[in-house]
C-alpha cells in the first residue's frame, strides 16, 4: 500500500434537502474524475482516497496531499469538469 495519499473531500459543494443528499456533491464528482484520470496515468506514487470533510467548506472543492513524516499540502477551490 502507498503511504502517499491524496484525500478528496466528498462533502464539498454538497446539495442536501432536509439532511438527504439530492445529488452527488462536487467533491464526489471530483473524486470520480480524479480516479478515472489516475487509472489512465502512469503515475503510481500515491493513493486517491475519499475523506468526509477537510474543513474547507467556504473554499470547495478541496484535496490534501499527505504522507508520514511530511507536511500536508491542501489545495482549495478546485472544480470538476463535466
Amino acid at each position: 500500500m502507498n503511504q502517499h495519499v491524496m484525500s478528496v473531500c466528498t462533502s464539498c459543494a454538497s446539495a442536501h434537502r432536509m439532511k438527504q443528499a439530492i445529488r452527488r456533491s462536487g467533491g464526489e464528482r471530483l473524486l470520480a474524475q480524479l480516479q478515472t484520470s489516475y487509472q489512465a496515468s502512469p503515475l503510481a506514487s500515491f493513493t486517491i482516497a475519499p475523506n468526509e470533510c477537510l474543513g474547507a467548506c467556504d473554499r470547495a472543492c478541496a484535496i490534501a496531499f499527505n504522507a508520514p513524516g511530511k507536511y500536508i499540502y491542501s489545495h482549495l477551490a478546485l472544480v470538476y469538469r463535466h
Side-chain angles (χ1 to χ4, degrees):
M1 178 169 174
N2 269 322
Q3 292 188 343
H4 293 82
V5 178
M6 178 199 305
S7 299
V8 181
C9 180
T10 56
S11 298
C12 279
S14 60
H16 291 82
R17 182 177 293 133
M18 299 188 66
K19 298 187 180 184
Q20 294 292 324
I22 57 175
R23 67 176 182 267
R24 287 176 58 194
S25 70
E28 290 170 322
R29 292 175 190 205
L30 178 61
L31 174 65
Q33 184 180 22
L34 288 169
Q35 288 174 327
T36 299
S37 297
Y38 184 71
Q39 289 174 354
S41 171
L43 300 174
S45 60
F46 59 89
T47 300
I48 298 174
N51 189 302
E52 177 110 6
C53 183
L54 292 176
C57 298
D58 61 332
R59 303 278 316 274
C61 290
I63 63 172
F65 291 97
N66 58 70
K70 296 183 179 180
Y71 291 106
I72 296 173
Y73 291 97
S74 297
H75 298 274
L76 310 173
L78 301 171
V79 296
Y80 66 92
R81 298 197 187 234
H82 302 286

